[in-house]
Amino acid sequence: TMRSENDGNKRPRGNEAAAHGTVAEADVTDVTSRLAELESMLRQALGRIGTLEKKNKAMERETRALRMDLKSLQGENQAMRDDMDEVKEENRALKWSLKQLASQVQESWEYPEEGKKQPYEYWQNKGFDYRYIGDLNEGFFHGVRSAVSDLAHGVCDRVCIGMLENDSDEGRMIQHDASLDPHWSALCQGFYGRINPHGTGINIALEGIQLNKDVMVLICGSLSGRNVREIAFTRIEFTNIRAAIQSLRTMLRRSSLVQSLEWSGIPIESVDDMALFVQMISERHSVLEKLDFGWNGDGNAQALLAGVDLSKYKSLDFDGNNIQTNGRADIPNLIASNSQLEWLHLGSNNLNDDDAVLIAESLSQNSNLKELYLNNNNIHQRGKSALLRAMKDTSSMNALSDSNHTCEVAGLNLEERNYLGPLNRAFKIHNLMVERYRSGEGNVPYFNREMNDEGSVVLAPFVMESVHRRHTAIKERYGYKVRGVSVLGL
């Protein structure tokens, strides 16, 4: 039977045609609906873009206005600095004039206790040689006379009595003698009424001199409540050290302006006396900013480290105490607390590599300490490596970014020094990128490995900052540009 040539392509008939027509219409309707949705979304997006453009323009106007305000404020700030410089210069001129006037008045001034100064023969008959008598005249009589004169004429900002600032005099001591009492009285009488209650305060330094109970009571009583900023006792031989601590404690309780205390080269032998000293310091820990407690011995230093909250201090000096921690972590814990401490002196002690490792670990948690002195200890290569790694861990870019960038460790001749302030992190990151580029592998493979997690979001700004800030810093310092990005293979 012959088939029609159209048999293989028959048109749908009846219900089949109607069904096909309905499907086609549905497809068209669906497409039309989607196009309408897309058009609506596009309109909304365009509307948002328009709104953002308006906001952007508004922000640009605000930014320009802020820049103008900033420029104006910078101008005002510069003007204020200029005015401040002028005021400082005028202040220096007034001080100079005051000293000139005071020196003229002082030429005719007579020391009230001059007649009570014993002659050379008096001291010679007591068995003292010419060197001691010279020390007495220069260190005591001259110091007291100058202080009384300066106090009387209102130009005293520092009082120094005793064997001061001469290494060759170490071990020599001005002994107490009853004939010195009138001169101590004259000095303390000047303290009572002549210390300037205004300004930054006076510094008191006593060194290499023997003080009995009555003189110490007199000194501390005359300084109580006065405008004293710093007080230093160095190599003092107290005839009654417990009474001396009690007198000093009373003075500190009544003198809220004292910011710095030095107690150096005065070992406290009695456990009870040291406990009293620790209690005195504990009472003042929120007021004192600087404590110098050097050359007093390991036992004294350990008692102070363990018994006093030192987190409020800005400067601590424990040089020369022969500190041996034996595993105690008072020093690392203080550093790790990230207190306001900025200077820590630990030179000439007995710290070892284990201590250095603990200190290095604590530095990773500290961003306030500026200088740490570790000279003349028993720290060798292992300890030095740990400290160096704390400041510059190049195992990864994240580790380097998290290193300590604020503390300069002195006294160990380390290769890395944090001496660039806020630029330390930027320079370290930049230098590491340069080293990687020069190694031949470039930086991209490292970044692919190190910046593929959440840390990359935190690290990326530091990487860009390292290039930008180093470029800016070198340009400002040396006057030429650095092609920071191209040489790094980025």
Side-chain angles (χ1 to χ4, degrees), residues 397-398 401 429 433 447 450-451 453-467:
M397 192 64 73
N398 283 309
S401 179
I429 291 176
M433 290 191 291
F447 287 150
E450 296 172 0
M451 300 181 68
D453 55 16
E454 296 179 359
S456 62
V457 177
V458 178
L459 179 61
F462 292 124
V463 174
M464 300 311 297
E465 177 200 39
S466 72
V467 178

Side-chain angles (χ1 to χ4, degrees), residues 7 46 68 79 81 91 151 172 193 262 392 412 487:
D7 285 350
L46 291 172
M68 293 177 65
R81 287 181 177 178
N91 187 45
L151 286 164
R172 292 160 64 184
E262 179 176 353
K392 189 180 180 180
L412 296 178
V487 300

Side-chain angles (χ1 to χ4, degrees), residues 166-227:
N166 190 341
D167 293 338
S168 63
D169 294 335
E170 188 173 353
R172 292 160 64 184
M173 182 78 60
I174 295 176
Q175 302 296 316
H176 174 73
D177 188 89
S179 65
L180 302 182
D181 288 345
H183 305 282
W184 283 118
S185 296
L187 176 63
C188 293
Q189 189 62 41
F191 288 157
Y192 271 118
R194 302 295 177 84
I195 292 179
N196 191 337
H198 308 289
T200 56
I202 191 173
N203 297 348
I204 308 293
L206 305 176
E207 181 174 349
I209 193 166
Q210 187 183 61
L211 298 177
N212 69 4
K213 177 181 177 180
D214 293 337
V215 172
M216 186 61 177
V217 169
L218 184 64
I219 292 172
C220 291
S222 63
L223 293 176
S224 293
R226 305 293 184 262
N227 187 13

